[in-house]
Amino acid sequence: MPPLCFAYYCSGHGYGHATRVSAFVCHLLNLPSTERPTVYITSSAPKHVFSDSIALGALYRYAEIDPVIVQPLAYRVDRQKSVDVLKSFISRKNTILETERRWLNEIGAHAVLSDAAFMGCLSANASGIPSVLITNFTFDSVYSYLATPLLQVDLEASSQPDHLTLATPKDNLTALVPDIPVPSAEIDPLVAHIYEGYRCADLLFLLPGCIPIPSFPIYPSLPAPSWVNPYTNSFHSDIIESLSRLPPPCALHPSIPLQPSSLYPRRGNPTRSVVAAPLLVRPPSTTYSPYTPEGRARLLSTIGVPSELHDPTRTKVLIVSFGGQVFRAPSRPSSRSQSRSNTPSPSPTVPSSPPSFCVGSLPTPQPLKPYPAAPPPPTTLIPPRLATPSHIWIPGAPPAHKRGPSAFSVPDLATIPPTPDALKTAFNITPPSLLDEADPFDPQLLPDESWIAIVCGASKDKWSEDDKATGLPDGFYVAPRDVYMPDLTAVGDALLGKLGYGTVSECVDACTPFVYVSRPLFIEEHGLRLLLDREGVGIELSRQSYEAGDWAVAVEEAYVRGREAKETKRANAQAGIGMDDKRKEGLNMARKVVAWTHDWWTVKVAN
C-alpha cells in the first residue's frame, strides 16, 4: 500500500499539547523512509509552535477544533464562561464535523491521531477510518470537574491537603470572577457530547501523569468530582490503584462502528486497547548541551548572567516560568531578607460531612436547540479564542514570539505579580500594595546569596510603569522570549511555575525539582502530582505565597530533595549516559502507531 497519511489533531488549549505533539511527529518523521508517514497537524495553536516537526516535513493546517477553558489568571478558571464557550462550540459541532470529514477524505487520511481533541476522533469515525488517542487526560473530565463543590479560593489557601473546606470567605478575585460550581443538570448533557467523541477512538496511548480516561475503561466513570476526596483534594485510593495497572483492570467500552463511506465501502473496527506510552518531551540541545560547562555558559551569557555566576557548584539557578506576569517591588528594599513570619495561617473549617456524588453513565447527547448562542465574553477581560493562525493566547502568558535576530537588553523589573492587566482594565482596579508597611516581614524570593533567578516570558508591555524605577531585584535576570525551555530547565536547580504537562515532563526529564502553584479546577493536576511523586520532585507553593513573593522556603526544600538526582543527571549527561533513551522510546512508539494502522488497513482490504 502507499505511504500512510496521518491527520494529527492537537488541542489549542496551551503549549503542553503542542510541544508533545510536535515531539511525537518528529519521531514519526524520523522513521526510515519505508515506514515514514505523511503527517498533517490540525490545531488552533499557531504554526510556529510546531516548528521542529514542520522543519522535518509536517504539514500544518489551522482549524478551531476544540472548545477552551477560560482562565482569567494562569491558575484560575472561570467556570461559567467556560460553560458558555462549550455551549457555543457544541452548537456548531455538526458543521465542524462535516468540514473535517470532507477534509480527511480530500487528503486520503489513513488514520487520525488526536491529543485530547474529541472532534478528531469523531471526524475519523464519520470518515470511516480508525483513530488513536494520545494523551494523559481528556476534556470530558475537565469540564465535568467544573461541578465540583470545592472552591478555588479554598484550594489555593493552603498547600496542606488536609486543610480544605467547601466554603470560606471570598478573596478579591472571587468577587470579580464568581467561583460557583456548575450544576450537574447543566454540565452533564454538554460533557456527554465530548465523551461520545472520545468513544470513537480505537486505540489509546496513555501518557505518564495520566488520570482516568472514562471513554475507554468502564471504570471509573464520570462524573469526575466523584474521583476526588474533597477532604484531601486527592484521588481516592481505588482510583490511584486503577491508574497504576495497564492494561486497565476492568473491561473496556466496545468500539463505535465506523460510519459508511463511499470511499471505504468495507468496514471493520479494530479491537479497542490501551497502551502505556513513554514520556513525550522535547529533548535538550545537542550542539551545545546545557549539561556541559560550555553549553551552560553559552546559554547563561545570552540571558545576561555574568561569567562569575556560571559555575553550578557556586551558583544555583531558579527558573520562574509563568509567562507574562507583572512583577512589583515589595514594600521593603531587600528581596533576600532573612526575616520571616512565623505566624501560621488560620486553617479553614472542614465540613461536618462530605458531599454526595452519583457515579454513573452520562446521558446520550441530545441536540442543543434549547441553548441560545453564548454571548461573547468582554474583550477587555477574556479574549474569545486561545489562538489565531499566528498567535496562541494563554491567560497569564506573553504574546507569540517569532524567531529572528534581535538585540536583547535586560529591562527594568520589580518583584511580585499582582492582578493581571486584563482584570485591572475591565474593572478599573488599582492594585493595592501587596505588603503593608506594618507587615513584620519582607518577602523572601530566593533562599540566599548563592541563588539567582531567571524569569521566562516577561512581557514588556505588561510591566507596571509605576515600578520600573525600582529595577531588577537582586539576582534576577530575564530570558529572551524565544529561549528554548528544555535547555533552560536543564540548567535550573529548581523551577517555579504552574502545574502542566509540558513543564512537568521537562522537569522530570531534566531531574529539575519543581515548585508549583496549583490550578485547582484542572483535574489533570492529580495525575501530574502522582507523576512528580513517582519520578521527580514536586513542592506546592500556595497562590498567596507566590503572589506575596514568599518563595524561598519552598525553593530550598525542592532543591534539597532533588539535589542528588540533579547532580547525577548532570554527570551522566556530560558522559553521554542515557541521553538517547527518550529518542529510542519515542521511535518505538512511532513504529507501533504505524504498524497498528498498516495492520488495520491490510486486514480491512483483505476482507
Side-chain angles (χ1 to χ4, degrees):
M1 63 181 294
L4 294 176
C5 177
F6 290 148
Y8 207 147
Y9 283 75
C10 175
S11 171
H13 195 280
Y15 279 107
H17 299 281
T19 57
R20 68 192 188 194
V21 163
S22 191
F24 186 58
V25 171
C26 286
H27 293 310
L28 287 167
L29 297 179
N30 277 319
L31 290 172
S33 59
T34 54
E35 302 174 76
R36 186 184 307 134
T38 298
V39 181
Y40 290 82
I41 297 174
T42 293
S43 181
S44 58
K47 185 175 182 178
H48 71 85
V49 181
F50 306 98
S51 58
D52 291 346
S53 53
I54 290 173
L56 293 177
L59 302 169
Y60 170 83
R61 168 179 174 258
Y62 176 86
E64 295 182 0
I65 41 83
D66 63 342
V68 300
I69 296 292
V70 176
Q71 297 174 253
L73 274 161
Y75 36 77
R76 274 290 181 97
V77 168
D78 188 320
R79 302 196 204 210
Q80 192 55 53
K81 281 191 171 61
S82 296
V83 172
D84 291 342
V85 169
L86 177 57
K87 289 178 180 178
S88 177
F89 185 88
I90 295 299
S91 71
R92 296 178 285 115
K93 185 184 76 171
N94 290 340
T95 300
I96 297 170
L97 177 62
E98 178 59 19
T99 298
E100 298 308 306
R101 185 192 66 79
R102 290 180 179 177
W103 177 72
L104 290 172
N105 289 341
E106 287 173 4
I107 66 171
H110 293 94
V112 161
L113 313 182
S114 178
D115 191 328
F118 77 94
M119 284 300 300
C121 306
L122 196 62
S123 301
N125 184 275
S127 301
I129 59 176
S131 60
V132 181
L133 191 58
I134 304 172
T135 189
N136 65 316
F137 78 99
T138 47
F139 280 99
D140 48 359
S141 305
V142 172
Y143 278 101
S144 175
Y145 200 61
L146 297 182
T148 180
L150 290 171
L151 302 183
Q152 294 173 88
V153 64
D154 301 321
L155 296 173
E156 294 166 349
S158 172
S159 60
Q160 301 301 320
D162 55 343
H163 289 158
L164 299 179
T165 178
L166 299 182
T168 61
K170 295 180 179 180
D171 62 1
N172 290 335
L173 180 60
T174 303
L176 298 175
V177 183
D179 188 30
I180 302 172
V182 181
S184 295
E186 180 178 10
I187 194 64
D188 284 356
L190 300 170
V191 169
H193 285 266
I194 306 175
Y195 170 81
E196 289 299 329
Y198 291 128
R199 284 278 287 107
C200 292
D202 301 292
L203 175 63
L204 169 64
F205 274 91
L206 197 55
L207 295 171
C210 63
I211 64 172
I213 309 294
S215 55
F216 269 80
I218 292 175
Y219 175 84
S221 61
L222 294 169
S226 65
W227 306 342
V228 179
N229 184 330
Y231 291 93
T232 62
N233 189 32
S234 60
F235 279 150
H236 292 292
S237 58
D238 58 329
I239 301 294
I240 296 174
E241 170 63 20
S242 69
L243 293 174
S244 65
R245 299 168 60 185
L246 282 179
C250 64
L252 302 181
H253 291 289
S255 298
I256 300 295
L258 297 176
Q259 297 301 307
S261 168
S262 59
L263 293 179
Y264 312 121
R266 301 177 187 176
R267 291 294 170 260
N269 282 82
T271 302
R272 299 187 93 209
S273 58
V274 180
V275 179
L279 194 70
L280 291 181
V281 60
R282 295 179 296 175
S285 299
T286 54
T287 304
Y288 296 100
S289 171
Y291 294 106
T292 64
E294 297 79 14
R296 177 186 176 92
R298 181 183 178 90
L299 177 60
L300 293 178
S301 294
T302 64
I303 297 170
V305 178
S307 59
E308 61 268 22
L309 300 179
H310 293 180
D311 186 350
T313 64
R314 299 174 57 189
T315 302
K316 295 180 282 291
V317 178
L318 172 68
I319 309 301
V320 183
S321 180
F322 279 88
Q325 69 271 52
V326 179
F327 282 76
R328 298 184 65 88
S331 59
R332 305 292 186 186
S334 171
S335 65
R336 298 181 187 267
S337 169
Q338 299 301 310
S339 173
R340 295 186 52 78
S341 169
N342 294 317
T343 304
S345 303
S347 298
T349 304
V350 176
S352 57
S353 60
S356 60
F357 298 103
C358 178
V359 182
S361 60
L362 287 167
T364 301
Q366 299 295 326
L368 296 185
K369 293 181 181 178
Y371 287 117
T379 57
T380 55
L381 177 61
I382 308 294
R385 285 292 305 170
L386 274 174
T388 69
S390 61
H391 170 62
I392 187 168
W393 181 84
I394 300 176
H401 179 75
K402 295 182 179 180
R403 291 179 178 270
S406 62
F408 174 74
S409 59
V410 178
D412 290 337
L413 197 68
T415 54
I416 302 174
T419 304
D421 286 354
L423 285 178
K424 286 190 276 183
T425 301
F427 297 98
N428 193 25
I429 300 171
T430 301
S433 173
L434 289 175
L435 293 176
D436 189 89
E437 288 295 330
D439 284 350
F441 67 97
D442 294 329
Q444 190 178 345
L445 294 165
L446 302 178
D448 55 49
E449 297 290 338
S450 68
W451 283 84
I452 64 171
I454 298 175
V455 181
C456 305
S459 179
K460 192 170 185 178
D461 60 353
K462 291 181 180 291
W463 297 326
S464 169
E465 295 292 335
D466 294 336
D467 287 337
K468 281 188 176 181
T470 63
L472 286 165
D474 295 343
F476 272 64
Y477 301 86
V478 180
R481 285 212 230 130
D482 61 351
V483 69
Y484 187 52
M485 280 305 299
D487 286 354
L488 198 55
T489 302
V491 164
D493 295 278
L495 186 145
L496 170 61
K498 64 183 178 183
L499 201 60
Y501 178 90
T503 305
V504 169
S505 62
E506 288 172 5
C507 282
V508 168
D509 185 51
C511 295
T512 300
F514 188 15
V515 179
Y516 61 86
V517 179
S518 175
R519 297 183 296 168
L521 277 192
F522 274 86
I523 195 169
E524 177 199 10
E525 284 204 353
H526 293 282
L528 296 175
R529 291 182 193 220
L530 292 172
L531 175 61
L532 284 172
D533 289 344
R534 186 172 63 250
E535 298 186 26
V537 171
I539 300 295
E540 183 174 355
L541 181 69
S542 72
R543 190 258 298 179
Q544 289 81 357
S545 294
Y546 167 65
E547 291 181 354
D550 202 14
W551 311 343
V553 170
V555 170
E556 181 68 17
E557 180 182 355
Y559 169 71
V560 170
R561 286 178 53 183
R563 176 171 51 193
E564 183 177 351
K566 186 69 180 184
E567 291 174 350
T568 300
K569 175 70 176 184
R570 283 175 172 155
N572 287 343
Q574 290 189 40
I577 300 173
M579 296 306 292
D580 204 34
D581 291 350
K582 291 292 184 293
R583 185 188 68 84
K584 291 178 179 178
E585 292 171 354
L587 285 173
N588 184 52
M589 177 176 162
R591 290 189 180 96
K592 289 181 179 179
V593 171
V594 167
W596 180 88
T597 306
H598 186 273
D599 288 348
W600 184 85
W601 277 87
T602 302
V603 171
K604 184 177 95 64
V605 171
N607 290 337

